[in-house]
């Protein structure tokens, strides 16, 4: 019996190994075909080949065969993706205001942010970002130019609100973390209130902590405000629901 079990296990291992080899062979074969097609198109296509566009279209079409949630995020969109799933981005850490045809105005630097460290203050005008006048930019374009990989430098030409001095300020970008919970507190002696603006990778732990704090303050019921919540990670949403439903409840299928 022992010999039979060992032989069967060996056979199963061999089948698994062959299956993996077959899968790897197919992947290698398709990679070669893919590269050959691109090379041939590049050599013989009647017009210049839009390589970037057709490569992206090919990747998106491939992933559409799987499910709606498997997507490709190119490097240039990574900051937006990180902002979506974790509310983090590389930048200076400030709320800005911008009217059409006017300079960018600093509304509020975040505490401990590069903007605060380099003494940007409420009312300061950003005249140019890396030499590009902000009057010619939209609010989004200005914000995008302020963002970048942590550790890189962005150069601002700033008109100080208090002195009217114009200065060139070099600011080193850092990783900025925004909270999911914008407000948490008691509305009255027994009613708690939490404003949750996203479901990022720390949302459930932040909410659990604030929930427990409010319970210690006498909370017997709670308002969970999801207005303006842009969504995020399903796993975090499920973890949050688990705070309020019996263990083992079906939350999502």
């Amino acid at each position: 019996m022992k010999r039979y079990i060992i032989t069967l296990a060996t056979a199963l291992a061999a089948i698994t190994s062959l299956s993996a080899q077959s899968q790897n062979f197919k992947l290698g074969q398709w990679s070669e075909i893919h590269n050959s097609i691109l090379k041939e198109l590049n050599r013989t296509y009647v017009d210049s080949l839009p390589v970037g566009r057709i490569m992206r279209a090919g990747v998106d079409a491939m992933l559409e065969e799987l499910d709606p949630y498997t997507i490709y995020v190119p490097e240039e969109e990574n900051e937006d993706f990180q902002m979506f799933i974790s509310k983090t981005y590389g930048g200076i850490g400030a709320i800005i205001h911008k009217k059409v045809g006017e300079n960018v105005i600093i509304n509020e630097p975040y505490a401990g942010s590069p903007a605060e460290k380099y003494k940007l203050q409420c009312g300061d005008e950003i005249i140019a970002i890396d030499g590009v006048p902000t009057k010619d930019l939209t609010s989004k374009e200005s914000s995008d130019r302020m963002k970048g990989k942590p550790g890189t430098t962005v150069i601002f030409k700033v008109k100080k609100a208090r002195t009217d001095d114009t200065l060139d300020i070099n600011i080193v970008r850092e990783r900025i973390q925004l909270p999911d919970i914008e407000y948490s507190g008691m509305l009255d002696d027994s009613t708690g209130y939490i404003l949750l603006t996203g479901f990022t990778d720390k949302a459930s732990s932040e909410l659990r902590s604030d929930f427990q704090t409010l319970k210690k303050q006498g909370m017997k019921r709670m308002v969970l405000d999801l207005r303006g919540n842009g969504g995020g990670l399903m796993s975090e949403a499920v973890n949050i629901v688990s705070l309020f439903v019996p263990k083992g409840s079906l939350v999502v299928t």
Side-chain angles (χ1 to χ4, degrees):
M1 178 60 72
K2 288 182 180 178
R3 183 178 300 167
Y4 171 75
I5 292 173
I6 293 170
T7 303
L8 180 59
T10 303
L12 288 172
I15 291 170
T16 303
S17 177
L18 286 172
S19 176
Q21 289 176 12
S22 175
Q23 188 80 344
N24 289 335
F25 175 77
K26 288 179 181 178
L27 285 173
Q29 186 181 43
W30 274 110
S31 294
E32 289 183 12
I33 292 172
H34 180 268
N35 290 335
S36 296
I37 290 172
L38 279 177
K39 287 177 181 177
E40 186 63 21
L41 284 172
N42 191 50
R43 189 177 67 84
T44 63
Y45 189 61
V46 68
D47 203 346
S48 60
L49 195 65
V51 176
R53 180 161 55 84
I54 63 175
M55 288 286 287
R56 179 62 190 268
V59 170
D60 290 342
M62 176 177 65
L63 296 180
E64 281 179 6
E65 293 295 315
L66 300 177
D67 56 61
Y69 312 108
T70 304
I71 60 171
Y72 166 61
V73 180
E75 185 177 3
E76 62 269 20
E77 297 176 15
N78 186 57
E79 283 298 321
D80 291 337
F81 183 67
Q82 290 300 321
M83 184 64 180
F84 179 70
I85 66 170
S86 62
K87 278 200 172 179
T88 68
Y89 67 95
I92 68 165
I95 298 173
I96 64 170
H97 175 70
K98 172 84 168 68
K99 290 184 179 180
V100 176
E102 295 185 7
N103 294 326
V104 169
I105 304 295
I106 298 292
N107 267 8
E108 179 187 351
Y110 298 138
S113 68
E116 184 183 61
K117 293 174 185 175
Y118 288 84
K119 298 185 173 13
L120 289 182
Q121 298 170 321
C122 179
D124 286 352
E125 290 186 42
I126 307 298
I127 299 172
I129 305 171
D130 287 334
V132 179
T134 59
K135 283 185 178 180
D136 302 332
L137 303 175
T138 65
S139 179
K140 183 180 185 307
E141 288 170 340
S142 300
S143 178
D144 288 345
R145 285 182 176 274
M146 291 181 178
K147 294 175 182 176
K149 188 176 180 180
T152 58
T153 300
V154 57
I155 303 173
F156 292 119
K157 185 176 287 295
V158 181
K159 182 180 180 182
K160 300 296 290 182
R162 297 182 182 179
T163 63
D164 281 339
D165 292 338
T166 299
L167 309 171
D168 286 333
I169 302 177
N170 296 4
I171 298 183
V172 178
R173 298 180 179 98
E174 295 179 11
R175 177 61 60 187
I176 308 299
Q177 173 75 60
L178 301 178
D180 270 312
I181 296 176
E182 293 197 2
Y183 179 80
S184 173
M186 296 293 291
L187 297 178
D188 54 38
D189 291 342
S190 60
T191 307
Y193 173 87
I194 295 178
L195 174 60
L196 183 70
T197 57
F199 295 103
T200 67
D201 56 358
K202 294 181 178 63
S204 61
S205 59
E206 289 179 10
L207 191 138
R208 184 183 296 274
S209 175
D210 283 15
F211 180 80
Q212 292 171 346
T213 298
L214 294 177
K215 283 190 71 175
K216 290 176 183 177
Q217 295 175 9
M219 180 179 70
K220 294 182 173 59
R221 55 184 178 266
M222 189 184 85
V223 177
L224 181 59
D225 192 344
L226 299 177
R227 290 175 296 179
N229 189 307
L233 300 173
M234 182 181 292
S235 58
E236 290 299 300
V238 170
N239 289 339
I240 288 170
V241 172
S242 71
L243 291 171
F244 307 104
V245 299
K247 187 176 181 178
S249 298
L250 182 63
V251 175
V252 64
T253 60

